[in-house]
Every structure is written in C-alpha cells, then in structure tokens.
C-alpha cells in the first residue's frame, strides 16, 4: 500500500547505482520485469522449492477443506486460482511476516493459510507445511523460490567473483518466466502466474492470467529450445493475450497491452 512490492527493490537498486553497495540479493518474484538502466541480473543460485504450501491445523490438504472454508492469503494469484477451483471458499486477506501469518491461523480465525514453500524452508519452518500443492494445481508466481543477484552492468570484477553461484537451469527458467511477465506488463494488481522447468535441452513454460474472482482463467504452455528463454516467454504471453488475457488485463489496467 505504500508503494507496491517494487518499493524496497527500488531503494536497493538506487544504492547500487550510487555505488553505495556492489551487490543486491533479491527474491526474484519481487523484482519488476524492467530493470533500471545500468543494472543487470546475471546470477541465479539454484532455486528453492517453487511450490505453494498449504498449512492447516485441522485439514490435511486443499482438497480436504469443507464448503465455505476460510483461507488466508495476500496473493491475488493464489486466491484467483483457488476460487476458480472452489468458488465457495472464503478468501481472507493475510499480511505481515511469516510468524504473524501463522499466528492468525493458530488463533482459529482461518481454516488454512497458503504461503510460499521456499520462504518456510529458508526460515526452518518446513515442519509447519501440511501439504505441498502441485504446481499444476496452483501455478507459482513468476520467479517463486528463486533468488537473483543484481549488479552494475559494468562491474566485471563482482560478476567474476559471483559467477560460480549461477545455476544454469534456474537461470533459463527464470529468464523465460520474466519474459512472460514483461510482455504481459504484469503488476501486483492482476493474477499472473508463470513457471518454467528445464527438461533435457528444452524449456517447458506454463502461464496463467485470471480474473480477480477466478471466474475466468486463461492458461497455456509452450516448449522450446533452452537457448531461447526470452523468445519462449514472449511467445507464450502472446498466446495468452490472444486467448483472452488481453481483456482481463485491460479491465484491470484500463489500457491495452497489445
């Protein structure tokens, strides 16, 4: 509410450009598709679990929830996909850090909450996870579970130091996902999801755009050679737009994306 998810990313990027710091470590799903001039994201460490985690004190899985159950989430992407599957579910807004969110579940205010598995794993809270939701059921956010190391474009010394951390399959997958996001001009106000995996020498990329209430969901997937991640992301975005995602985005942003 005080500036969107890119606000803190921008502060760090400003420090990079002023040469106050030489390296920024980001959660990729928080980084806007367009980087400021002079900055690059050349290094992607191996991705954590990209899936969403279902957490409940009373129910074993998302499919086990009773009619009109209450789920807490702060993600439009998650809520739209859940409502598409289960229009009866009540979505309650969930904000704050992980402990705050888990505490709201434990008070009985909600039947379940959904959080990123990666964040729980990194905090040593994987034992709290009731179910890891398959990516085919709940398509992850662009870059979910991945970190990106951002540096100045001309800083070859820092790049040389960091390059050993790069995990090529993660890099290719995230580049494809971010190209999808860039073409869709996606922001926080619209449910967009994208998830890529490397299979042999091919990238398989899945994408989704949905209405906020889940009443309409546009999904598609594409496969192509690993050396063309950006082309694949852009091509899948075009297919989603042709299938009706353009109307969803126009309704949210009030302008055309094409």
């Amino acid at each position: 509410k005080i500036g969107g998810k890119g606000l803190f990313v921008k502060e760090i990027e400003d420090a990079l450009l002023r040469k106050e710091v030489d390296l920024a470590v980001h959660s990729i799903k928080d980084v806007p598709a367009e980087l400021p001039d002079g900055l690059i994201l050349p290094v992607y460490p191996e991705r954590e679990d990209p899936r969403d985690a279902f957490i409940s004190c009373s129910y074993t899985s998302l499919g086990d929830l009773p009619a009109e159950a209450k789920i807490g989430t702060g993600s439009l992407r998650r809520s739209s996909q859940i409502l598409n599957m289960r229009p009866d579910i009540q979505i309650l807004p969930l904000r704050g850090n992980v402990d705050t969110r888990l505490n709201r579940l434990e008070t009985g205010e909600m039947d379940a909450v959904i959080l990123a598995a990666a964040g729980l794993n990194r905090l040593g809270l994987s034992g709290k996870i009731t179910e890891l939701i398959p990516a085919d059921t709940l398509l992850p956010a662009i870059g979910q579970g991945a970190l990106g190391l951002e540096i100045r474009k001309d800083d070859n010394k820092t790049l040389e130091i960091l390059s050993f951390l790069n995990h090529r399959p993660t890099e290719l997958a995230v580049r494809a996902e971010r190209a999808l996001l860039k073409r869709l001009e996606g922001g926080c106000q619209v449910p967009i999801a994208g998830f890529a995996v490397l299979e042999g020498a091919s990238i398989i990329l899945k994408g989704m755009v949905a209405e906020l209430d889940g009443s309409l969901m546009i999904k598609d997937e594409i496969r192509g050679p690993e050396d063309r991640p950006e082309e694949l992301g852009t091509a899948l975005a075009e297919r989603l737009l042709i299938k009706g995602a353009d109307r969803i985005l126009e309704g949210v942003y009030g302008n055309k994306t094409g």
Side-chain angles (χ1 to χ4, degrees):
K1 290 184 177 178
I2 58 171
K5 69 178 181 181
L7 175 67
F8 300 110
V9 170
K10 183 180 183 303
E11 288 191 2
I12 294 170
E13 288 178 332
D14 287 345
L16 262 178
L17 290 168
R18 291 193 301 266
K19 298 190 176 182
E20 294 172 7
V21 298
D22 296 311
L23 165 67
V25 181
H26 298 295
S27 176
I28 280 291
K29 71 176 185 175
D30 295 332
V31 180
E34 294 274 7
L35 296 181
D37 288 342
L39 299 182
I40 54 172
L41 271 170
V43 178
Y44 301 84
E46 187 170 359
R47 193 175 206 163
E48 243 288 1
D49 194 324
R51 292 173 291 181
D52 286 311
F54 174 87
I55 306 167
S56 177
C57 301
S58 307
Y59 303 99
T60 59
S61 69
L62 188 58
D64 186 38
L65 287 173
E68 299 186 2
K70 297 175 181 178
I71 291 185
T73 176
S75 162
L76 299 178
R77 171 192 59 83
R78 292 180 184 126
S79 61
S80 66
Q81 291 184 84
I82 291 167
L83 289 170
N84 181 263
M85 292 183 283
R86 291 279 305 272
D88 62 289
I89 292 288
Q90 298 180 57
I91 302 292
L92 300 181
L94 193 63
R95 302 289 179 196
N97 61 33
V98 170
D99 286 336
T100 300
R101 297 180 188 206
L102 292 175
N103 286 341
R104 288 189 65 189
L105 173 66
E106 288 161 7
T107 61
E109 190 179 341
M110 303 169 181
D111 296 301
V113 299
I114 298 180
L115 302 171
L120 292 163
N121 290 344
R122 288 181 177 129
L123 290 169
L125 295 172
S126 52
K128 297 279 188 181
I129 297 172
T130 308
E131 178 196 30
L132 286 166
I133 304 171
D136 285 339
T137 301
L138 211 56
L139 199 62
I142 304 291
Q144 184 159 311
L147 300 177
L149 308 188
E150 188 178 29
I151 62 173
R152 289 182 294 278
K153 195 172 186 177
D154 59 358
D155 190 354
N156 295 322
K157 180 181 177 183
T158 300
L159 177 58
E160 188 178 333
I161 293 168
L162 297 172
S163 59
F164 81 98
L165 288 169
N166 193 56
H167 184 249
R168 182 73 172 159
T170 298
E171 177 197 346
L172 295 171
V174 172
R175 282 169 56 190
E177 293 167 23
R178 284 176 58 77
L180 168 71
L181 180 69
K182 183 176 180 179
R183 177 63 189 96
L184 294 175
E185 299 177 14
C188 319
Q189 304 90 350
V190 65
I192 293 175
F195 179 54
V197 293
L198 200 62
E199 192 176 277
S202 298
I203 297 172
I204 301 169
L205 173 63
K206 299 181 180 183
M208 183 279 300
V209 178
E211 293 279 10
L212 296 174
D213 62 2
S215 59
L216 175 63
M217 181 180 294
I218 312 292
K219 296 179 80 171
D220 205 343
E221 70 175 84
I222 195 169
R223 176 192 287 259
E226 65 175 354
D227 60 347
R228 291 163 50 195
E230 283 80 14
E231 288 181 40
L232 282 173
T234 302
L236 181 58
E238 295 291 354
R239 278 162 52 167
L240 292 170
L241 291 167
I242 289 168
K243 291 175 76 170
D246 57 343
R247 293 188 294 278
I248 295 174
L249 295 170
E250 285 166 22
V252 173
Y253 296 126
N255 56 34
K256 296 193 174 183
T257 59

